[in-house]
Amino acid sequence: MTLYKKKSDLFEKINDIKGKNLIIGLVPTMGSLHKGHLSLVERSLEENDYTIVSIFINPTQFNDKKDLDSYPKNLIDDCRYLESLSSDIIIFSPDIDEIYDKNLSVKQFDFQGLDKFMEGEYRKGHFEGVATVVSHLFKIVRPNKAYFGEKDYQQLRIIQQLVIQNNIPVNVIGCKTIREYDGLALSSRNAKLDLHSRKIASKIFEAINFCRDNYKSKDLEKIINDIDIFFKNISEIELEYFIIADSETLTPVKKITKDKQYRVFIAVRIDEVRLIDNIELN
Ligand code: PAF
């Protein structure tokens, strides 16, 4: 494992790799790595000559300063974790100025409506921040492939849109969500849950699974209403949204059409920790 903090040092390495016509896979992360991240890294190791893992807590994608300040940081453990997978992994963990050059601003994008609902609605400016940092990373690393988890499905769709719209020659690859024994999607934020909240968090998967089990036989509005009542009865969980949407356009729907793909999306707060999840329905 080699750790780079400076763009200029990484450039040299990347020029060398590109000069040999070798293939680069990028796994962008904000650190505090868990098995979900590692599954992306393993896939990149299998499919590329070089794997670069970026570890950068991107300030511009947080609309809540408390959330940013409390985001878990574990660079030493992250490096150890990656080293245990392969000693060839390149880690890029820059300071804020290396990415933003003392200008902590976001670019403007047209996400073609993909950002209108769910995270885009509840975390204003979030996707501009994500797309800005991912654009910077793509420019610095020049990867052939980039790996993103389906847990952040809306983010994945937005990045797919970003590369198409801007003709960025990167193959964006979505990878399946990795779950705990009780269905809770792996997330760096899970580390912020105490024992009781962690137990309660399994209700998120219970809710989206209920939707998957019932969407064929029940009215979607009835399902959404049942879920609303389900969470009102769990005082520890505050439901932010529960939305069934077209997997392509991410537009919420009230009816399922056979020839389209749909997913159910959820965001909740448990003891101030915000968690999201989604699964495909058909
Ligand atoms: O999914 C994440 O961890 C972040 O949003 C990403 C893609 C690394 C951008 O900061």
Side-chain angles (χ1 to χ4, degrees):
M1 170 221 84
T2 323
L3 173 65
Y4 288 87
K5 300 214 68 105
K6 296 270 172 228
K7 266 190 309 210
S8 52
D9 296 336
L10 186 65
F11 272 144
E12 266 184 47
K13 179 70 187 167
I14 287 169
N15 282 340
D16 184 45
I17 298 173
K18 292 275 173 194
K20 293 179 184 147
N21 270 329
L22 297 173
I23 305 293
I24 298 177
L26 170 67
V27 183
T29 81
M30 297 205 294
S32 275
L33 303 182
H34 49 66
K35 285 189 192 132
H37 295 114
L38 296 196
S39 71
L40 308 184
V41 176
E42 276 168 347
R43 180 142 175 213
S44 174
L45 285 167
E46 273 165 28
E47 296 181 354
N48 301 283
D49 298 309
Y50 278 92
T51 290
I52 301 185
V53 179
S54 63
I55 298 181
F56 177 67
I57 300 178
N58 173 35
T60 63
Q61 70 186 73
F62 287 82
N63 57 338
D64 175 354
K65 180 146 182 349
K66 241 171 64 191
D67 192 20
L68 170 62
D69 292 343
S70 67
Y71 200 85
K73 299 170 193 71
N74 291 304
L75 184 60
I76 294 174
D77 285 350
D78 290 344
C79 290
R80 276 202 203 112
Y81 222 175
L82 292 170
E83 177 70 29
S84 73
L85 284 190
S86 160
S87 52
D88 292 336
I89 293 172
I90 296 170
I91 301 173
F92 179 45
S93 176
D95 287 338
I96 292 178
D97 285 351
E98 279 292 299
I99 297 289
Y100 284 100
D101 233 352
K102 296 207 168 19
N103 176 18
L104 209 56
S105 64
V106 294
K107 299 176 192 159
Q108 288 312 308
F109 300 89
D110 175 7
F111 298 126
Q112 306 273 304
L114 291 171
D115 59 332
K116 195 159 173 215
F117 302 99
M118 302 168 307
E119 294 306 279
E121 181 180 357
Y122 284 83
R123 298 180 73 189
K124 289 282 176 225
H126 170 66
F127 287 121
E128 280 76 11
V130 170
T132 299
V133 77
V134 170
S135 307
H136 284 311
L137 290 170
F138 283 173
K139 259 197 197 128
I140 297 168
V141 175
R142 290 182 282 144
N144 302 80
K145 298 177 200 159
Y147 298 81
F148 295 87
E150 283 185 352
K151 191 189 78 78
D152 297 298
Y153 189 83
Q154 193 172 14
Q155 166 173 283
L156 170 65
R157 286 287 302 114
I158 281 176
I159 291 164
Q160 285 169 338
Q161 175 68 26
L162 175 81
V163 300
I164 292 172
Q165 229 170 37
N166 296 286
N167 288 317
I168 305 172
V170 178
N171 185 0
V172 175
I173 297 171
C175 303
K176 290 263 168 271
T177 302
I178 307 292
R179 298 182 179 279
E180 298 271 18
Y181 65 95
D182 59 354
L184 179 67
L186 294 191
S187 161
S188 305
R189 290 170 193 269
N190 294 354
K192 299 195 323 183
L193 298 169
D194 65 22
L195 227 70
H196 178 66
S197 302
R198 167 63 193 84
K199 217 168 146 203
I200 292 282
S202 64
K203 299 290 175 197
I204 302 168
F205 188 61
E206 214 178 291
I208 53 179
N209 234 350
F210 172 81
C211 183
R212 184 159 61 183
D213 289 346
N214 289 285
Y215 81 94
K216 279 187 188 150
S217 56
K218 276 192 186 169
D219 210 56
L220 297 193
E221 285 188 58
K222 165 91 178 92
I223 293 179
I224 291 170
N225 195 39
D226 287 351
I227 292 298
D228 214 41
I229 295 168
F230 175 71
F231 282 114
K232 281 205 171 99
N233 285 321
I234 307 171
S235 61
E236 295 94 333
I237 305 188
E238 184 195 325
L239 178 64
E240 211 163 71
Y241 62 74
F242 185 88
I243 288 175
I244 299 157
D246 182 312
S247 305
E248 184 75 19
T249 62
L250 303 186
T251 315
V253 295
K254 293 212 168 106
K255 253 189 148 152
I256 298 282
T257 318
K258 273 211 175 102
D259 56 343
K260 289 193 168 172
Q261 302 290 305
Y262 301 91
R263 295 184 88 91
V264 55
F265 297 83
I266 186 169
V268 305
R269 280 181 194 275
I270 306 177
D271 199 13
E272 305 227 346
V273 182
R274 190 169 182 281
L275 299 173
I276 61 169
D277 200 353
N278 72 88
I279 45 170
E280 58 191 355
L281 289 186
N282 52 345

